[in-house]
Amino acid sequence: MHRYLVYVLALVLLPVSLALALHWPAWYWGVGLFGAMSLLGTWDMLQRRSTLRRNYPVLAHFRYGLESIGPEIRQYFVQSDLDDVPFSRQQRQLVYQRARNVMDVVPFGTLRSAYAVDYEWINHSLAPAHAADHDFRVVIGAGCARPYSASVFNISAMSFGSLSANAIRALNKGAKLGGFYHDTGEGSISPYHREHGGDLVWEIGSGYFGCRDEQGGFSEERFVANANHDQVKMIEVKLSQGAKPGHGGVLPAAKVSAEISVTRGVPMGVDCVSPAQHSAFSTPVGLLQFVARLRELSGGKPTGFKLAIGHPWEWFGIAKAMHETGLLPDFIVVDGAEGGTGASPAEFIDHVGVPMNEALILVHNTLVGLNLRERIRIGAAGKVTSAFDIARTIALGADWCNAGRGFMFALGCIQSLSCHNDKCPTGIATQDPSRWKHLEPEDKAHRVASFHDNTLRALRDLLGAAGLQHPSELGPEHILRRVSPTEIRSMATLYRYLAPGELLDRVPEHAVFREYWADARSDSFGPPPRIAALRGTKLC
């Protein structure tokens, strides 16, 4: 009977409180309290949807209340400073400090164990260097009519719709102030992207938002109208994203506001569907022809694609298509499976896609092996928040880094894990005007710019300590990792790196290339026949 104790006490104390209130009016608080508990308990007993509430009337709601604040309890009182789930308190604090231009030094030594497996570092030099400028850049599309000089650190794809109007305003003005680019995400170019004139990379997903016809296919005419705007510096075709690769999306009709309708070029009152795959092409060669056509229609702006690596033969098919046709993207952005600024199905966020390190190395290796690496730039994204993150990513094979959640922290994100329910407490990942209107774009824009600036200053100092002048000098030999309590390996020896042109002569002694390179096809994303045949072995 202890399960009903609180409910029974409320029923007993209600008439007692009422009697006392007749003599002492202050007791009306008891009438209100015990009356509400009695009504709640009675409803719990009568309803049939929740067994827990029927077995524990009133008491069950205390559990629900504690459960609802469980993430906050763990974040503030249980988790250590280094628990990166998904980002550690130390990572968040570093972004906050740099965004606010406050001291970011660490007292009394590192919190990390230098003898723990997976501990990483960059070796320093006894002949340190000092670059005069920390505004490190990389030229993308050198052979294009309108090449772009990009910062080595930029804002990753986050759409208007997933982020609020004021968050987009602040990010874009921050990009303008800091001289780096702002990826639009597949939700197209909103009015809020245009207000401050920050450099844009226009991401085009399978929904062709901003360049779609009435049937949802690609429209050249509408593409040209947006692509030729001076603010758009590059065009990026999104094949897949790290958060939910191979998964489309639906924005319910009720959420398709007038603003989103105009921005995406979709009708109001109808579900806004982002298919799992593109309709403008269906083969690796078709992808490259589409990229070449977009470059031409945009007036010669650098054009490339973003992907999260999945089946190796699909990426190898794209690489073979490049080699066979001579049609090259100007850049490739590799999105790691650890990425994701919004909501994704649990199985996808936890168990689908290749993490950034291995995906980046595979793409870099393939281009090196085909003698194409010098002609194609590589960007990478996957939990980048610090100068060391940038350095190790570039050392592994990237030319530049993008970050989504890092810049969200600069806006004031507190990792409340409310991106999916429109109740973001900081007004960033919500379309609720009662929340996002309290986010001040002017102040947050300066924080975005400061985070970028201070991170690149730290990168300059890190490079200088290693005796280097520019991130392009970084290689896998510069990053060390402890692989056991008694063994240390550099990334150059931990991973197998191909020699220039190696794929042109033979299949290298590399497990993935040895297994899938020979069977990959430039005319199909489909599995090799021997892989397809394995599927039939599971049939009864």
Side-chain angles (χ1 to χ4, degrees), residues 356-527:
M356 183 189 69
N357 290 355
E358 288 73 19
L360 170 60
I361 292 170
L362 183 66
V363 171
H364 171 76
N365 259 339
T366 307
L367 297 181
V368 169
L370 291 173
N371 275 338
L372 296 175
R373 184 62 182 88
E374 294 302 314
R375 300 169 63 187
I376 301 173
R377 297 295 191 182
I378 299 177
K383 294 187 72 169
V384 175
T385 56
S386 72
F388 181 75
D389 294 336
I390 297 172
R392 73 183 301 280
T393 303
I394 292 177
L396 288 175
D399 292 299
W400 83 90
C401 294
N402 290 339
R405 289 167 291 181
F407 282 101
M408 288 176 69
F409 290 139
L411 288 175
C413 169
I414 59 172
Q415 194 173 282
S416 68
L417 308 182
S418 304
C419 307
H420 62 301
N421 59 19
D422 209 33
K423 296 181 179 179
C424 172
T426 56
I428 298 169
T430 178
Q431 296 302 303
D432 181 351
S434 68
R435 293 173 180 268
W436 65 256
K437 285 188 175 179
H438 293 287
L439 187 155
E440 178 52 54
E442 185 69 24
D443 173 64
K444 302 303 183 184
H446 286 278
R447 294 192 182 193
V448 167
S450 294
F451 166 55
H452 176 271
D453 183 69
N454 288 323
T455 301
L456 289 193
R457 288 179 185 275
L459 178 62
R460 178 193 61 190
D461 295 343
L462 192 67
L463 292 172
L468 307 176
Q469 294 278 351
H470 193 275
S472 61
E473 299 174 45
L474 283 162
E477 69 278 5
H478 289 108
I479 306 298
L480 286 299
R481 178 188 292 174
R482 182 177 292 282
V483 296
S484 81
T486 58
E487 186 179 6
I488 295 167
R489 301 272 298 277
S490 74
M491 294 296 186
T493 59
L494 194 59
Y495 293 101
R496 164 79 157 89
Y497 278 85
L498 269 60
E502 189 171 347
L503 281 172
L504 301 176
D505 301 325
R506 62 187 181 278
V507 177
E509 286 301 313
H510 183 294
V512 181
F513 287 96
R514 188 174 61 246
E515 186 72 17
Y516 300 111
W517 177 255
D519 293 331
R521 296 169 49 186
S522 61
D523 62 348
S524 174
F525 285 116

Side-chain angles (χ1 to χ4, degrees), residues 139-148 300 302 330 377:
V139 176
I140 306 172
C144 292
R146 302 172 70 178
Y148 178 60
D330 298 300
R377 297 295 191 182

Side-chain angles (χ1 to χ4, degrees), residues 168-207:
I168 295 294
R169 285 181 170 117
L171 288 172
N172 194 256
K173 184 167 184 179
K176 177 70 172 180
L177 293 170
F180 52 100
Y181 78 64
H182 178 193
D183 193 311
T184 65
E186 67 175 306
S188 192
I189 307 170
S190 72
Y192 310 110
H193 287 97
R194 298 193 187 278
E195 282 186 18
H196 299 292
D199 290 353
L200 294 177
V201 171
W202 181 17
E203 182 180 271
I204 298 173
S206 55

